[in-house]
Amino acid sequence: MLTTAIILILSAISFCAGQLSGRTCTISPLGVGRDDTDQVLAAIAKCGHGGRTVLQHGVFNITRKMTWDLVDAKVDLHGFLSFVPDIDFWLNANNTYRVVFIQSQASWFVITGQDFEVDAHNTGGIQGNGQPWWDFFTTVPREDGDGRPIALTLFRAVRGVIRNFAIEAQPFWCNCVAESQSVVYDGMRCNASNENPTFAGQNIVPNTDGIDTYRSDNVSLLNWDITCGDDCLAIKGNSTNIVAENITCRGGNGIAFGSLGQYFNLTDIVQNVFMQNLTMTRINASVQPNMQNGVYFKSWDGSINGVPPTGGGAGPGFAQNITLKNVVLDRVNRPTTISQTNGGHSGDLPSMYKFEDIHYDNWSGTALTNEVIALECSAAVNCTDITFEGFNVSVPAGETPEIICQNAEDVSGLGAACS
Ligand SMILES: *[C@@H]1O[C@H](CO)[C@@H](O)[C@H](O)[C@H]1NC(C)=O
Ligand SMILES: *[C@@H]1O[C@H](CO)[C@@H](O)[C@H](O)[C@H]1NC(C)=O
Ligand SMILES: *[C@@H]1O[C@H](CO)[C@@H](O)[C@H](O)[C@H]1NC(C)=O
Ligand SMILES: *[C@@H]1O[C@H](CO)[C@@H](O)[C@H](O)[C@H]1NC(C)=O
Ligand SMILES: *[C@@H]1O[C@H](CO)[C@@H](O)[C@H](O)[C@H]1NC(C)=O
Ligand SMILES: *[C@@H]1O[C@H](CO)[C@@H](O)[C@H](O)[C@H]1NC(C)=O
Ligand SMILES: *[C@@H]1O[C@H](CO)[C@@H](O)[C@H](O)[C@H]1NC(C)=O
Ligand SMILES: *[C@@H]1O[C@H](CO)[C@@H](O)[C@H](O)[C@H]1NC(C)=O
Ligand SMILES: *[C@@H]1O[C@H](CO)[C@@H](O)[C@H](O)[C@H]1NC(C)=O
Ligand SMILES: *[C@@H]1O[C@H](CO)[C@@H](O)[C@H](O)[C@H]1NC(C)=O
Ligand SMILES: *[C@@H]1O[C@H](CO)[C@@H](O)[C@H](O)[C@H]1NC(C)=O
Ligand SMILES: *[C@@H]1O[C@H](CO)[C@@H](O)[C@H](O)[C@H]1NC(C)=O
């Protein structure tokens, strides 16, 4: 009797300890000058399979690359993982992972596994300490694959959720999801804002993309707020069944599909993408001078110019069945463009990459130029089936909106001539 009662009480306690039946590991930052990497990795090793890991409020000092392998697990990240800004250390290729195949990009923090949730409760996430990185790279050339680390990488993750997460001052891409399925990001804030007055008015934060999606299926990006100096979202090769809802992009290049077709030997497929409730807004020019596009599509051209990660081209593929609905633009340079000459030279072959079945629905707001729509498609394949419904973006007073269509077939709803 007594034994049964004790077992019942114990199982009730362990059930209440976490929403999962396994154990709970709780850690707090060790304090200034101390290194938290070991205790974070130990907690994940102990509770990352079938358990719950709680990182309390405060700053966890992370000094080396880290993988969390999570299976049937929950992580409550109330505080921040602060990655030491030791640029020489991270640029040594031995000190990061190279799990993101495209452009050989580096990662300092990888989450992998299945059936997990990482909840940062709108109080925690990652401190990227980007300012010294951005300062350093004002005098050193930036190249894809040079080793600047992605702040948060989901790699081979299945049914993972990232919730109410903040990434402050990402040195490079804020997020990447690669080779993953059925991932939900609900609540993501990234903010790459230069605070060094020496560089006021300059974009010293190129490549601070909000996310790049690659080789991943069934990914939802919900409730994002991104301040950056590059692509807010970048949908790259083999991204299928992607949903983006309630996205605010502050500064940078806008939402990109691409670049696509960089690898001549790989087909890039982008299919079934639904985006709604997008706001693209220009911010204080002394912090971030660019707000280039609303949503834009880009492929490399049909010739090979160099090799990846920095060069390439001539890749085949298609981007198909894309809907862009309820989009508000606030002083963007160009609301929407398709261009197919990335990395190209005059005299190159036209791109073999095909854009088709793209639907614009209910766009409003303002552009700072009159180049409202530019569909500059490849003569080798044409763009086909592009529709516009309720596309009402204003151009500067006194200017006439310009709509460019090159090699675009079955374009409807423009309500104006296409030149
Ligand atoms: C982080 O840990 C390293 C290594 O112990 C230490 O040198 C550094 O001062 C710590 N940083 C902070 C902000 O505590
Ligand atoms: C990386 O590690 C390898 C193997 O330990 C070593 O030979 C190489 O010198 C290291 N590279 C750098 C840049 O430290
Ligand atoms: C897509 O992902 C969601 C969230 O993980 C999941 O509920 C749904 O079953 C997935 N759909 C498919 C077709 O895999
Ligand atoms: C981004 O960070 C800058 C500098 O810290 C701050 O002024 C700005 O309010 C932040 N933006 C958002 C949207 O949180
Ligand atoms: C949209 O996302 C922002 C975070 O970026 C959030 O604060 C806001 O509540 C969301 N709006 C809706 C209607 O869910
Ligand atoms: C999108 O915006 C519309 C109109 O404001 C609103 O009715 C709808 O709930 C929003 N949907 C999402 C998923 O944010
Ligand atoms: C495609 O080319 C890249 C080099 O640009 C190489 O790393 C990769 O292995 C090749 N992939 C295939 C499937 O041939
Ligand atoms: C995309 O998927 C197709 C087939 O599903 C494959 O042939 C191609 O190599 C993949 N491309 C990339 C970039 O992985
Ligand atoms: C096109 O994409 C939408 C999601 O935006 C999806 O519901 C629909 O089934 C797709 N159409 C086809 C023909 O696959
Ligand atoms: C833009 O930011 C600069 C530097 O922080 C500040 O001095 C200026 O007042 C801001 N301008 C506006 C319009 O907020
Ligand atoms: C069009 O988009 C605006 C801005 O998101 C929204 O307020 C409005 O409800 C949308 N209209 C329709 C018919 O969905
Ligand atoms: C592109 O479209 C034009 C005009 O409809 C047509 O004449 C041409 O044959 C098309 N080219 C291809 C490659 O489909």
Side-chain angles (χ1 to χ4, degrees):
M1 257 315 259
L2 187 58
T3 322
T4 314
I6 289 169
I7 288 170
L8 281 174
I9 289 164
L10 284 178
S11 55
I13 289 169
S14 77
F15 180 77
C16 294
Q19 47 199 107
L20 302 143
S21 53
R23 45 185 150 199
T24 295
C25 298
T26 302
I27 56 172
S28 292
L30 294 172
V32 175
R34 306 276 303 275
D35 184 345
D36 291 289
T37 320
D38 284 341
Q39 66 152 347
V40 170
L41 286 171
I44 296 291
K46 194 169 167 200
C47 293
H49 283 207
R52 177 170 172 231
T53 308
V54 180
L55 285 82
Q56 301 284 36
H57 291 270
V59 178
F60 293 86
N61 182 20
I62 305 300
T63 63
R64 60 182 197 274
K65 67 182 174 186
M66 182 166 72
T67 296
W68 291 4
D69 177 27
L70 302 175
V71 177
D72 295 319
K74 168 111 200 262
V75 178
D76 290 298
L77 176 58
H78 297 285
F80 278 90
L81 304 168
S82 175
F83 287 79
V84 287
D86 184 342
I87 297 170
D88 287 342
F89 172 79
W90 294 114
L91 289 181
N92 178 337
N94 287 342
N95 296 329
T96 55
Y97 304 103
R98 296 286 170 129
V99 294
V100 175
F101 176 80
I102 190 165
Q103 297 168 340
S104 313
Q105 306 294 17
S107 303
W108 61 19
F109 178 30
V110 173
I111 301 181
T112 188
Q114 62 189 61
D115 300 293
F116 62 82
E117 175 169 337
V118 177
D119 189 343
H121 299 275
N122 284 323
T123 61
I126 292 170
Q127 172 55 262
N129 296 306
Q131 188 71 54
W133 288 89
W134 308 326
D135 292 351
F136 178 80
F137 277 94
T138 58
T139 54
V140 171
R142 304 174 190 91
E143 290 186 334
D144 283 314
D146 61 13
R148 284 169 296 155
I150 300 164
L152 175 58
T153 303
L154 263 60
F155 176 67
R156 297 190 183 162
V158 180
R159 292 178 303 275
V161 179
I162 305 294
R163 197 181 297 287
N164 295 333
F165 203 102
I167 300 179
E168 304 290 355
Q170 67 272 24
F172 184 68
W173 295 356
C174 193
N175 288 276
C176 180
V177 56
E179 300 182 35
S180 295
Q181 283 118 44
S182 301
V183 166
V184 178
Y185 293 84
D186 186 355
M188 173 60 65
R189 196 162 55 79
C190 296
N191 189 347
S193 294
N194 170 50
E195 294 188 277
N196 181 343
T198 306
F199 304 113
Q202 300 176 36
N203 177 22
I204 65 159
V205 297
N207 310 120
T208 52
D209 302 19
I211 190 169
D212 284 63
T213 68
Y214 187 62
R215 292 181 171 166
S216 293
D217 178 57
N218 190 24
V219 175
S220 293
L221 312 174
L222 313 176
N223 306 315
W224 283 49
D225 190 321
I226 303 300
T227 303
C228 76
D230 213 303
D231 293 335
C232 178
L233 313 176
I235 309 300
K236 287 189 154 61
N238 288 16
S239 295
T240 51
N241 301 302
I242 309 293
V243 171
E245 281 176 351
N246 183 26
I247 312 289
T248 300
C249 302
R250 304 176 195 273
N253 289 345
I255 293 178
F257 287 77
S259 295
L260 296 156
Q262 182 171 4
Y263 291 76
F264 73 89
N265 61 344
L266 294 173
T267 300
D268 279 341
I269 297 171
V270 172
Q271 205 167 27
N272 305 342
V273 181
F274 182 78
M275 294 190 177
Q276 72 171 333
N277 298 8
L278 313 176
T279 302
M280 320 299 299
T281 190
R282 187 174 284 278
I283 61 173
N284 186 327
S286 75
V287 177
Q288 174 51 247
N290 299 343
M291 184 69 250
Q292 184 59 19
N293 302 285
V295 179
Y296 72 121
F297 296 83
K298 51 179 175 175
S299 80
W300 291 66
D301 76 9
S303 296
I304 299 174
N305 286 303
V307 293
T310 53
F318 56 86
Q320 186 184 70
N321 189 19
I322 295 163
T323 298
L324 308 165
K325 183 176 171 179
N326 301 350
V327 180
V328 179
L329 306 177
D330 170 25
R331 295 164 292 158
V332 305
N333 287 351
R334 306 180 79 190
T336 191
T337 62
I338 299 178
S339 66
Q340 301 212 242
T341 54
N342 199 71
H345 304 149
S346 65
D348 278 359
L349 294 168
S351 176
M352 293 302 296
Y353 197 89
K354 187 164 176 76
F355 291 101
E356 60 190 330
D357 199 0
I358 300 175
H359 309 287
Y360 297 81
D361 182 3
N362 186 26
W363 284 48
S364 59
T366 55
L368 292 188
T369 73
N370 71 337
E371 298 164 35
V372 195
I373 298 169
L375 312 178
E376 296 174 301
C377 302
S378 167
V381 286
N382 286 351
C383 298
T384 45
D385 190 11
I386 319 280
T387 68
F388 292 85
E389 214 182 306
F391 193 95
N392 297 305
V393 179
S394 314
V395 300
E399 297 194 23
T400 307
E402 184 179 64
I403 299 175
I404 298 171
C405 304
Q406 286 169 1
N407 307 309
E409 278 185 278
D410 301 327
V411 180
S412 70
L414 283 174
C418 205
S419 61

